[in-house]
Amino acid sequence: MTTAPAPAPARAAREVYRDTVAELLPGEPRLVVLDSDTGLFGGVDFGSAADRYLNLGIAEHTLMGTAAGLAREGRIPLVNTMAAFASSRAVEAVKIDIAMGNLPVLIAATHSGVSAGHLGPTHHALEDLAVMRALPHMTVVVPGDAAGTEDLLRQALTLGGPVYFRLGRGATPDLPAGPPVRLGKAQQLRHGTDITLAACGPYPTLAALEAADLLESEGITANVLHLHTVKPLDTPALLSSLGVRDTVITVEEHWSSGGFGSAVAEALSAVRPVRVHRMALPDEFVPVAGSQRYLLERGGVSARAIAERARTSLDSRRGGIR
């Protein structure tokens, strides 16, 4: 009897990012890694490229300014810090030094959303998508799993402009196989005709897929779109996925205002009348510490909550609510 091989353990997106950078650095002399004492690259052997890893310490504003200067001299800096600090403490330098000059700086922002939930609200990053997508020239990318992290990183480094690369802290399950990961293009992970579930980020996308399973058991079929690129947004894919009732439910790990759901609502309402329901964390600081999944479910970002929102929306379209 042959025993099936055990599935590969889930990997953290930030670790995949680290390993991909370590692989790319020796072969691309323009790449420079700027760290803020994150510890992510501890023990990494960059070989002949070791002098292009610089740890500037916990000085995020200085980190961004240094990256901008290097970019103006022909380098491609990769800046490593936590998302909460990139989108708040250092955002003036991101805006003026990097975005204004349309410079090729990739900001690798770890511990995004509530993935640092055990550290409390000072380390949550629930405003970063709103901040970064508002900046001209900025591309905003949120990989959904380990494989997508490597593919999107390699593609992002060819853009020639600023990129906000949003990563979590811990390992997350892989998403099911879908179309090839292409920056700026949505992945359709499930096909349906009644409603569209558009998700951004690892756990929101997994919750949307689980919600689609719950709905299917009741005879409701849902499109599930994984939009790993928040800016530029794949509006054509969203429009083509709309079900017969023109209803979209967005799912994200962010506050309800300004983030992925807001981007979808803005894009679709400019083209046609569409109902967009945003499933996101409530507009308040999370008052408790806890795991990422616990805090998301506590905030209403769960498969059951998504399925219930879909039922309510479809029932109201039929003229009543059960």
Side-chain angles (χ1 to χ4, degrees), residues 10-14 16 112 140-153 164-177 179-183 185-187 189 199-207 209 225-230 251 253 292 296:
R11 297 192 66 198
R14 64 177 179 143
V16 175
S112 65
V140 179
V141 182
V142 187
D145 60 10
T149 298
E150 179 174 355
D151 290 341
L152 289 167
L153 175 61
Y164 182 72
F165 204 72
R166 191 190 208 227
L167 303 169
R169 175 181 176 272
T172 58
D174 290 337
L175 298 178
V181 177
R182 293 173 54 203
L183 197 147
K185 300 295 182 182
Q187 289 179 291
L189 302 180
C200 169
Y203 283 125
T205 304
L206 291 167
L209 287 164
L225 289 187
H226 170 221
L227 288 103
H228 44 67
T229 309
V230 176
V251 192
E253 188 172 347
Q292 184 177 13
L296 284 169

Side-chain angles (χ1 to χ4, degrees), residues 13-299:
R14 64 177 179 143
E15 294 173 352
V16 175
Y17 162 82
R18 175 199 64 203
D19 295 346
T20 305
V21 169
E23 178 186 339
L24 291 172
L25 200 66
E28 174 48 84
R30 293 177 298 168
L31 291 179
V32 181
V33 179
L34 302 179
D35 206 354
S36 56
D37 212 20
T38 61
L40 180 61
F41 290 93
V44 173
D45 181 7
F46 290 112
S48 61
D51 61 345
R52 285 186 278 119
Y53 169 79
L54 306 173
N55 186 356
L56 277 67
I58 302 174
E60 291 82 6
H61 197 283
T62 301
L63 198 70
M64 301 301 177
T66 302
L70 287 166
R72 288 194 177 277
E73 294 302 315
R75 301 294 185 128
I76 303 175
L78 295 93
V79 175
N80 304 278
T81 185
M82 290 188 181
F85 307 143
S87 61
S88 54
R89 180 183 297 274
V91 73
E92 180 189 27
V94 175
K95 171 187 171 183
I96 296 173
D97 296 344
I98 296 173
M100 187 178 292
N102 194 19
L103 297 175
V105 176
L106 186 139
I107 302 166
T110 65
H111 296 66
S112 65
V114 289
S115 63
H118 60 297
L119 296 175
T122 57
H123 286 62
H124 298 166
L126 296 170
E127 76 287 359
D128 58 333
L129 296 182
V131 171
M132 292 297 172
R133 78 179 186 90
L135 297 178
H137 307 303
M138 185 68 70
T139 295
V140 179
V141 182
V142 187
D145 60 10
T149 298
E150 179 174 355
D151 290 341
L152 289 167
L153 175 61
R154 291 177 181 272
Q155 294 171 42
L157 289 173
T158 69
L159 291 178
V163 179
Y164 182 72
F165 204 72
R166 191 190 208 227
L167 303 169
R169 175 181 176 272
T172 58
D174 290 337
L175 298 178
V181 177
R182 293 173 54 203
L183 197 147
K185 300 295 182 182
Q187 289 179 291
Q188 186 154 8
L189 302 180
R190 192 71 57 84
H191 293 266
T193 58
D194 293 311
I195 198 166
T196 293
L197 309 180
C200 169
Y203 283 125
T205 304
L206 291 167
L209 287 164
E210 186 180 343
D213 289 338
L214 294 173
L215 293 168
E216 189 172 21
S217 68
E218 303 169 21
I220 299 170
T221 62
N223 281 312
V224 178
L225 289 187
H226 170 221
L227 288 103
H228 44 67
T229 309
V230 176
K231 183 184 178 182
L233 193 68
D234 192 354
T235 305
L238 284 162
L239 288 169
S240 65
S241 77
L242 289 174
V244 294
R245 295 177 180 85
D246 281 356
T247 300
V248 178
I249 295 176
T250 62
V251 192
E252 64 188 304
E253 188 172 347
H254 194 272
W255 276 319
S256 57
S257 58
F260 168 67
S262 296
V264 170
E266 291 165 10
L268 295 183
S269 64
V271 180
R272 60 192 276 190
V274 177
R275 295 207 305 179
V276 179
H277 303 284
R278 291 174 294 176
M279 304 293 293
L281 289 162
D283 188 20
E284 60 185 29
F285 292 99
V286 181
V288 298
S291 72
Q292 184 177 13
R293 297 201 78 164
Y294 168 74
L295 294 180
L296 284 169
E297 292 187 5
R298 182 183 181 278

